[in-house]
Each structure stands twice: as structure tokens, then as C-alpha cells.
């Protein structure tokens, strides 16, 4: 890694002892105890600036140590403040886009605080991430524990700041971690409002591996003469926006190869290229994670009985408790392990020993690609990322990312690796329980919705996808009736929409007895209704001309189709709901406030 920006060029030393102004002894002791022999380039650039009196906008690759680059200056600034913090006031705020990241930052902060000597003034922090803790509990804790630093997700922070007892006048420094993500989610007005609430003489730092142009607007409103620190990476004379220890590949696939290739690689099918202790697989949607987690777990049990790989799953639609627990178990396990997740775990998470990142599909936001891949190859450790691209237009993604200084090389897999496409297993597995098919349907539909959200619209175009093959790859028995499939030419549609042998859907059972009983009840009610209707129709038809009777068959057929469509429409509606960006869950409160237009400056006037 080379720090070659104007600011970074001035770095004379990366020794912690040489930081100017010099570090407080217990801070120095802390970083040395962590085993960090010297500062990373971003730390060496930022520490003197942010600890001194500069606002900073910092762009440095994933895993380059940005967290300490803002935590240490914040601590140093607070130590130097004359006044101890009073109840209702705070000295520093760190905003993070997700709960997990906020928790991680908070735990690094606490591990630094552990080094405060007995005879030195205590420093305290508070985590504000919403979820299970009601805001009044957070407020109570805030007033009683008098934290110096708040580590918060934006929704809960704004909720807290609304309380009259909370005063911002002692705030010394504000950090927006993953600043561009805050804007991606459309909360620029809320952040602007926050800027206006906080004292003008504060210091502000924006940090991310991807500082987009849009951040410029935040910089203009919220920062004063900021220094931009860009820590660049040059590899073989070419600039890149990913760590030099991270190799990124792409594999060109047809839909039916995606599952077998993923299974092959996670079961160590190509240990030479993708060796791993821990790996992360990114799926497009939450329901996709749930579905593939259950499918792949069962597949491994049956087809790879000797495999001892632990598969975890986590996504933003899960309550924060289980999310935290899963992440903890994945972090702590001593076995070879894989985490199936979504973009909720794309940014900032620092999980040791993640060697490989698989992306089943590219993310809708190109910047997320780099953040996802960056969960591997951190802090000088070797890592690898691989993305699957559908053969055809999606291959343009490689050049598109090249322009963004993300270089990829092709991973050419052997036919042998995907020879078993697992379709027989998947069909047998799906037929065991109708619920699995419901999930497959929702996963497929939510994938289609996800696909239409790609910002690189010229690359990711639905009409260029082989939707029939894709539906098959999700294990669907029959094509759903959805508007997106109308673009598929008639000739490409399988007869009756069946993607394999036709089955009697009325006989397709749920494994769950209650669910099955309720399905049978509905079916019986429907049959009864049809019978009664038939009776009525018979009387009517008896009095009808023969010509009209010939139309009856068609009408019946149409009704059957309509019934099928109703069932699918229900599943599709559920899927549409689950395809919402799950990262927004953390933002729920803020979204609601935004809708009510409560997050503008005026609503904070009483603070
Ligand atoms: N000076 C250092 N020397 C060695 N390792 C370090 C140093 N500073 C931080 N680290 C370690 O590097 C890893 C990555 O740090 P951190 O999570 O801060 O990266 P980041 O730049 O914020 O990444 P991202 O953009 O993905 O959020 C962490 O495990 C951290 O403990």
C-alpha cells in the first residue's frame, strides 16, 4: 500500500511514537498490545490531522485500518478537553449505517478504554442502535451513564437527540463512517439537519473505502476546509481501489452452473485457487439467503456427508438478537465455515480469517461490490473474491469495474466442477415439502425485483436474462405468472409453464401439519364452491344452445389458470415485500420520520 496523496506524502514516519501531537501513553500502550507494530498509511496520514484541528474526508481501501484512524483522534481530542462531560451532553458521535458495524466500532472503542489506568479519568461510550432497546431506555442510560462518545445508527441517534434533556453543545467531533452509504440510502437531508444541530466549531471526519462525488454535497455543508486524504494502492504500476493482497476474479456462467459451481468451491473443489478457513457468500435478497441456506445445508448433508463445513446465515430482516448471535458464532467457530448473507454485512465488518468472498450476483450498487469483496484480504492478509456473471451482457461488468479501478481476472472452471448440476437432488428436495417451493418462488421473484434495481442499467437488463433457465436454477417446478415473464418469447416458454415433469399441485403437501391442514381446508372449500357453481351452471347450460357449451371448456381452463395466478400472486406479493433493501431495516425509524417530514431542521429547533 502506498500513501501518495499530498497529505500522505508528508508522512515522515509510521511509528506510533512519532505521531504529532504525541499519543497519550495508555493509547500507545493499547495499540502496541494489539500487536500493531506501526501505523497503517491511513492512520499515519489522518491521526495528526484529525487530532489537530482539521476536518478530514478519508478514502482508503477496505481493511486499511480506518476505524483506529478516527477512534484514536476522537479519544485524544476528548482527553484534552478541559471540562468533564456532564449528564445530557456528549463529546463525540460516530455514525454507522448498520447495527453490526456500530457494534464492532463500539467494541474496538471499549478495547481501547480497557487500557485507561486506574488513576486517569474514565472515558465512557454508549451504543445506540435501536432494535430491541426502546428509545426511552437509551435515553435513561444516556442520562445516567454520561458517555463521552456515542456510537450510533442514524435513526436511533436522531430519536435520542429529539429529547429535550439531550444537549449537543459540548460536542467536539463527529465521524460519519461509510459516509457514502448514508447518502445511498437517501438520508442526505437528515444528515444535513444533524449538521445544523451540532456546534459549528466541532471537527468532522467522513470515512469510507468509496467516497463518491455525492459526498461533496455533505462536505460543503458540514465540513470546514477539510483535508482530503486518499490512500492509494498501486500494483504493478497500476492504481487500484482494492487492497493489494486481495485478488478478484469473475466466472462466466449459465444459470444452471451457479449452484453447482458454488457448491464445488465451498466444498473445496478448487483448493489451489480458493483455499479458505472462513468464507462469505453474498446473495441478492434476504429470502434468497433463507432458501439457499436450507437447500445447501441439506444438500451437503446428503451428498457430502464427510464435509465438516458449518454454514451460517444472516440477513437484515432478522431481529438484531439472532443477527448478533450468528455473527458471533461465525466469528468464533474453529471449524471451516461459510456465512450466507446480504449487503447488510457488506460494509465495515472485520471478521478475522475470512479468506474468500463469493458473490452469487453483482450487487445493485457498484460500490457495494468493493465493500463485499473487501471482507477478505484485510490488514495485509491474503484474500480472494469471486463474482458469478451470466454469460452475455453481464460480462461488461468487468470493464465497467475496470474503469472504477477494480481489476478482475477470469476464473475458468473445469467442466468437471459443474458436471453434477444437482437438479435431481433439488427436485426431490423441493417435492418433500410444498413450503420449500413457496420459498423458492419467493426467492426467484425477489431476485427479479432485485435485478431491476441495478444502477448500471445498460449492463443488467432483464430482457437479456434467460428467465426460464433461471427459474429452473431456483428449483421451481412451474414458471410463475408475473409481468416480467411476458417478455419471454412464446416459443421459449415450456408447455403449461412446467419446468420439469408436470405434477398434481392439489396433491403437493406441506410438511408442517398445521399448514397442510389449512391448505386442505382451503382446497376443500374451493372444491365445494366449484361443485355448487357447476350445479348452478348445469341448470343454466341445460337451457343454453350447444354453441355456447363449446366455450365452457375454455372458460374452465381460464378459471384454473386464474386460480393458479391467485396463489402465485400471493407468493409474489410476499416476495416483493421481502425484496426491499434489508439495510433499510436499520433505517426504519428514520424512514418513518422522513415520511412524516420530521427530520428537517425545524423539528430540532427546540434542542
Ligand atoms: N496499525 C495496524 N497494524 C496492523 N493491523 C491493524 C492496524 N490498524 C488496524 N489493524 C487491523 O486491520 C483490520 C482492518 O481494520 P478496519 O476494520 O479499521 O479497516 P477499515 O479500513 O475500516 O475497513 P472497511 O473499509 O472494510 O471498513 C482490523 O482487524 C484491525 O484490527
Amino acid at each position: 500500500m502506498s500513501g501518495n496523496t499530498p497529505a500522505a506524502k508528508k508522512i515522515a514516519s509510521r511509528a506510533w511514537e512519532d505521531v504529532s501531537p504525541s499519543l497519550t501513553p495508555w493509547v500507545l500502550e493499547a495499540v502496541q498490545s494489539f500487536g500493531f507494530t506501526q501505523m497503517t498509511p491511513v492512520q499515519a496520514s489522518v491521526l495528526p490531522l484529525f487530532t489537530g484541528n482539521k476536518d478530514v474526508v478519508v478514502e482508503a481501501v477496505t481493511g486499511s485500518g480506518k476505524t483506529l484512524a478516527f477512534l484514536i483522534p476522537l479519544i485524544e481530542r476528548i482527553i484534552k478537553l478541559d471540562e468533564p462531560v456532564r449528564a445530557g451532553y456528549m463529546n463525540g458521535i460516530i455514525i454507522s449505517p448498520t447495527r453490526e458495524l456500530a457494534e464492532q466500532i463500539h467494541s474496538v472503542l471499549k478495547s481501547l478504554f480497557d487500557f485507561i489506568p486506574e488513576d486517569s479519568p474514565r472515558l465512557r461510550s454508549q451504543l445506540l442502535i435501536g432494535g430491541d432497546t426502546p428509545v426511552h431506555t437509551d435515553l435513561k442510560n444516556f442520562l445516567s451513564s454520561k458517555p463521552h462518545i456515542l456510537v450510533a445508527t442514524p435513526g436511533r441517534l436522531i430519536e435520542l437527540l429529539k429529547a429535550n434533556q439531550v444537549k449537543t453543545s459540548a460536542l467536539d467531533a463527529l465521524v460519519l463512517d461509510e459516509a457514502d452509504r448514508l447518502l445511498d440510502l437517501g438520508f442526505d437531508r437528515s444528515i444535513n439537519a444533524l449538521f445544523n444541530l451540532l456546534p459549528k466549531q466541532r471537527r468532522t471526519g467522513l470515512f469510507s473505502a468509496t467516497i463518491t462525488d455525492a459526498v461533496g454535497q455533505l462536505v460543503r455543508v458540514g465540513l470546514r476546509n477539510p483535508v482530503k486524504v486518499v490512500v492509494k494502492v498501486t500494483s504493478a504500476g497500476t492504481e487500484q481501489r482494492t487492497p493489494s493482497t486481495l485478488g478478484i476474479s469473475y466466472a462466466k456462467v449459465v444459470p444452471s452452473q451457479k449452484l453447482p459451481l458454488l457448491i464445488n468451491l465451498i466444498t473445496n473443489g478448487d483448493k489451489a485457487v480458493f483455499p479458505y478457513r472462513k468464507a462469505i457468500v453474498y446473495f441478492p435478497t434476504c429470502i434468497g439467503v433463507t432458501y439457499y441456506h436450507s437447500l445447501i445445508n441439506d444438500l451437503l448433508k446428503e451428498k457430502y456427508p464427510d464435509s465438516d463445513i458449518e454454514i451460517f446465515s444472516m440477513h437484515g430482516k432478522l431481529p438484531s438478537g439472532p443477527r448478533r448471535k450468528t455473527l458471533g458464532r461465525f466469528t468464533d467457530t474453529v471449524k471451516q465455515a461459510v456465512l450466507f448473507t446480504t449487503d447488510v454485512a457488506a460494509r465495515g465488518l472485520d471478521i478475522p480469517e475470512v479468506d474468500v468472498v463469493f458473490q452469487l450476483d453483482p450487487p445493485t450498487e457498484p460500490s457495494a461490490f468493493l465493500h463485499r469483496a473487501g471482507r477478505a484480504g484485510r490488514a495485509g492478509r491474503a484474500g480472494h473474491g469471486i463474482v458469478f456473471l451470466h454469460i452475455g451482457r453481464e460480462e461488461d461488468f468487468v470493464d465497467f469495474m475496470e474503469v472504477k479501478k477494480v481489476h478482475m481476472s477470469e476464473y475458468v472452471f473445469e467442466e468437471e466442477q459443474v458436471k453434477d448440476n444437482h437438479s435431481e437432488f433439488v427436485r426431490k428436495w423441493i417435492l418433500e415439502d410444498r413450503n420449500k417451493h413457496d420459498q423458492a418462488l419467493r426467492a426467484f421473484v425477489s431476485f427479479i425485483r432485485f435485478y431491476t434495481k441495478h444502477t448500471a442499467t445498460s449492463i443488467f437488463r432483464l430482457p437479456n436474462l434467460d428467465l426460464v433457465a433461471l427459474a429452473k436454477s431456483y428449483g421451481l417446478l412451474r414458471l410463475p405468472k408475473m409481468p416480467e415473464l411476458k417478455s419471454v418469447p412464446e416459443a421459449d416458454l415450456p408447455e403449461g409453464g412446467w419446468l420439469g415433469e408436470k405434477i398434481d399441485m392439489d396433491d403437493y403437501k406441506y410438511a408442517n401439519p398445521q399448514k397442510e391442514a389449512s391448505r386442505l381446508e382451503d382446497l376443500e372449500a374451493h372444491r365445494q364452491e366449484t361443485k355448487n357453481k357447476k350445479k348452478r351452471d348445469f341448470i343454466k347450460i341445460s337451457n343454453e344452445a350447444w354453441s355456447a357449451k363449446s366455450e365452457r371448456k375454455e372458460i374452465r381452463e381460464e378459471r384454473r389458470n386464474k386460480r393458479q395466478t391467485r396463489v402465485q400472486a400471493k407468493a409474489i406479493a410476499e416476495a416483493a415485500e421481502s425484496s426491499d433493501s434489508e439495510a433499510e431495516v436499520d433505517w426504519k425509524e428514520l424512514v418513518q420520520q422522513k415520511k412524516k417530514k420530521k427530520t428537517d431542521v425545524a423539528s430540532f429547533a427546540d434542542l
Side-chain angles (χ1 to χ4, degrees):
M1 193 182 298
S2 68
N4 55 359
T5 62
K9 268 180 196 153
K10 287 183 210 144
I11 301 166
S13 160
R14 278 172 52 189
W16 294 103
E17 294 81 357
D18 294 342
V19 179
S20 170
S22 47
L23 297 178
T24 302
W26 66 258
V27 175
L28 193 63
E29 193 198 333
V31 288
Q32 282 166 346
S33 311
F34 295 159
F36 301 160
T37 49
Q38 57 174 4
M39 289 180 280
T40 63
V42 70
Q43 291 162 353
S45 303
V46 174
L47 258 56
L49 294 167
F50 204 26
T51 311
N53 251 342
K54 292 286 179 204
D55 282 3
V56 288
V57 178
V58 182
E59 183 177 64
V61 295
T62 51
S64 58
K66 293 186 287 296
T67 312
L68 285 182
F70 59 74
L71 286 183
I72 294 176
L74 224 63
I75 291 174
E76 291 293 350
R77 294 185 63 85
I78 292 170
I79 290 173
K80 288 177 184 75
L81 292 176
D82 293 337
E83 292 228 350
V85 73
R86 286 181 289 147
Y89 294 77
M90 81 295 291
N91 299 139
I93 295 179
I94 301 162
I95 303 181
S96 141
T98 63
R99 289 175 189 157
E100 281 75 16
L101 186 51
E103 282 180 308
Q104 184 180 289
I105 295 168
H106 190 239
S107 99
V108 178
L109 185 60
K110 284 207 320 209
S111 66
L112 287 166
F113 287 172
D114 285 346
F115 288 83
I116 302 175
E118 288 292 314
D119 54 356
S120 294
R122 301 281 92 199
L123 288 182
R124 293 170 299 274
S125 59
Q126 187 179 351
L127 183 65
L128 296 165
I129 52 174
D132 310 333
T133 318
V135 68
H136 61 83
T137 308
D138 276 340
L139 177 62
K140 206 169 128 224
N141 292 341
F142 171 72
L143 295 172
S144 63
S145 69
K146 295 188 277 176
H148 297 79
I149 300 178
L150 303 179
V151 184
T153 48
R156 177 50 56 96
L157 176 69
I158 289 178
E159 279 285 299
L160 185 92
L161 293 183
K162 273 164 143 183
N164 287 329
Q165 302 100 305
V166 181
K167 314 284 179 204
T168 57
S169 59
L171 185 92
D172 174 75
L174 169 73
V175 169
L176 302 185
D177 193 19
E178 308 292 349
D180 54 318
R181 183 65 185 146
L182 300 175
L183 296 183
D184 280 352
L185 293 169
F187 291 95
D188 38 341
R189 271 189 70 210
S190 313
I191 303 289
N192 284 337
L194 192 68
F195 281 161
N196 287 330
L197 282 176
L198 305 176
K200 292 273 173 291
Q201 69 278 15
R202 67 166 194 273
R203 294 281 55 90
T204 307
L206 309 186
F207 291 75
S208 182
T210 49
I211 292 285
T212 53
D213 292 344
V215 174
Q217 178 264 347
L218 278 189
V219 173
R220 277 190 298 280
V221 189
L223 280 72
R224 289 209 275 176
N225 300 323
V227 178
K228 184 161 187 195
V229 179
V230 183
V231 181
K232 292 177 183 168
V233 174
T234 342
S235 180
T238 332
E239 198 187 302
Q240 63 182 52
R241 295 188 59 200
T242 49
S244 54
T245 52
L246 177 67
I248 305 188
S249 320
Y250 63 95
K252 295 195 273 186
V253 291
V254 291
S256 62
Q257 290 172 327
K258 287 170 98 173
L259 179 68
L261 186 59
L262 179 66
I263 302 272
N264 175 268
L265 296 178
I266 63 177
T267 53
N268 308 305
D270 192 346
K271 237 180 178 163
V273 183
F274 300 106
Y276 74 93
R277 246 284 279 135
K278 285 182 190 165
I280 299 183
V281 185
Y282 285 98
F283 288 86
T285 63
C286 302
I287 181 69
V289 170
T290 309
Y291 172 64
Y292 278 109
H293 179 247
S294 115
L295 168 65
I296 292 177
N297 245 330
D298 287 352
L299 192 149
L300 293 189
K301 260 185 236 150
E302 183 161 320
K303 296 181 106 176
Y304 300 81
D306 299 333
S307 132
D308 199 23
I309 301 164
E310 265 189 295
I311 316 251
F312 297 90
S313 78
M314 188 195 100
H315 58 73
K317 294 237 154 159
L318 294 171
S320 52
R323 261 158 72 170
R324 187 179 309 126
K325 216 164 141 192
T326 302
L327 210 54
R329 283 170 51 221
F330 176 64
T331 309
D332 296 341
T333 183
V334 291
K335 286 191 186 170
Q336 193 179 21
V338 185
L339 175 70
F340 286 6
T341 190
T342 60
D343 280 337
V344 76
R347 286 187 178 241
L349 290 189
D350 186 53
I351 303 169
E353 298 178 299
V354 171
D355 303 299
V356 183
V357 168
F358 299 97
Q359 303 194 37
L360 205 65
D361 295 277
T364 50
E365 282 299 328
S367 61
F369 179 82
L370 195 144
H371 289 278
R372 285 171 165 193
R375 295 317 97 210
R378 299 172 71 72
R381 191 183 155 94
H384 211 112
I386 175 164
V387 62
F388 295 174
L389 300 176
H390 290 122
I391 291 173
R393 198 178 275 255
E394 282 190 13
E395 291 170 46
D396 290 352
F397 186 66
V398 177
D399 290 341
F400 177 77
M401 291 308 286
E402 184 74 32
V403 174
K404 294 180 178 294
K405 300 194 180 81
V406 176
H407 313 300
M408 294 190 232
S409 54
E410 185 174 358
Y411 171 67
V412 184
F413 53 92
E414 304 290 330
E415 257 320 294
E416 191 64 25
Q417 289 175 259
V418 292
K419 199 176 73 190
D420 179 0
N421 67 11
H422 305 297
S423 61
E424 249 174 66
F425 172 87
V426 175
R427 188 173 168 89
K428 197 181 105 221
W429 181 82
I430 286 251
L431 285 170
E432 280 168 5
D433 180 0
R434 192 180 180 121
N435 196 46
K436 292 173 179 170
H437 193 260
D438 287 358
Q439 280 196 348
L441 180 65
R442 290 171 60 202
F444 173 71
V445 173
S446 66
F447 170 78
I448 303 287
R449 300 277 142 87
F450 157 89
Y451 206 79
T452 57
K453 287 183 188 157
H454 272 292
T455 52
T457 47
S458 62
I459 301 174
F460 301 98
R461 298 180 66 245
L462 214 49
N464 294 108
L465 274 189
D466 183 348
L467 293 177
V468 176
L470 208 76
K472 226 176 186 167
S473 78
Y474 270 81
L476 296 191
L477 301 173
R478 198 178 186 185
L479 277 181
K481 288 204 166 60
M482 55 191 295
E484 287 83 353
L485 283 165
K486 284 198 178 125
S487 63
V488 180
E490 193 75 26
D492 294 346
L493 290 172
E495 209 188 317
W498 291 102
L499 294 164
E501 210 179 305
K502 185 176 169 179
I503 63 153
D504 181 356
M505 290 302 275
D506 285 355
D507 211 26
Y508 189 16
K509 297 181 174 51
Y510 285 106
N512 178 309
Q514 278 109 31
K515 235 179 156 177
E516 177 57 12
S518 139
R519 182 188 77 86
L520 288 176
E521 237 171 66
D522 287 352
L523 191 67
E524 188 47 41
H526 179 79
R527 278 189 182 142
Q528 206 51 50
E529 193 194 314
T530 320
K531 217 165 147 189
N532 294 343
K533 197 153 189 322
K534 258 188 192 160
K535 236 187 226 166
R536 286 199 303 272
D537 287 352
F538 178 74
I539 299 165
K540 226 163 90 191
I541 291 167
S542 313
N543 301 325
E544 259 178 34
W546 264 108
S547 60
K549 283 180 190 172
S550 64
E551 286 169 25
R552 313 289 323 165
K553 208 174 153 206
E554 281 173 37
I555 294 170
R556 269 204 304 275
E557 183 69 23
E558 198 175 304
R559 268 195 208 128
R560 207 177 5 252
N561 282 341
K562 269 189 188 156
R563 181 156 67 91
Q564 187 70 21
T565 311
R566 268 203 310 276
V567 174
Q568 280 165 352
K570 198 172 154 222
I572 289 168
E574 280 171 17
E577 196 160 291
S578 66
S579 71
D580 291 340
S581 161
E582 28 74 273
E584 284 168 20
V585 171
D586 288 351
W587 291 78
K588 221 173 192 167
E589 297 150 35
L590 197 52
V591 175
Q592 281 158 2
Q593 290 167 22
K594 199 174 152 80
K595 277 190 188 145
K596 290 183 207 151
K597 296 199 189 308
K598 277 189 182 165
T599 52
D600 53 10
V601 186
S603 65
F604 294 108
D606 56 342
L607 288 167

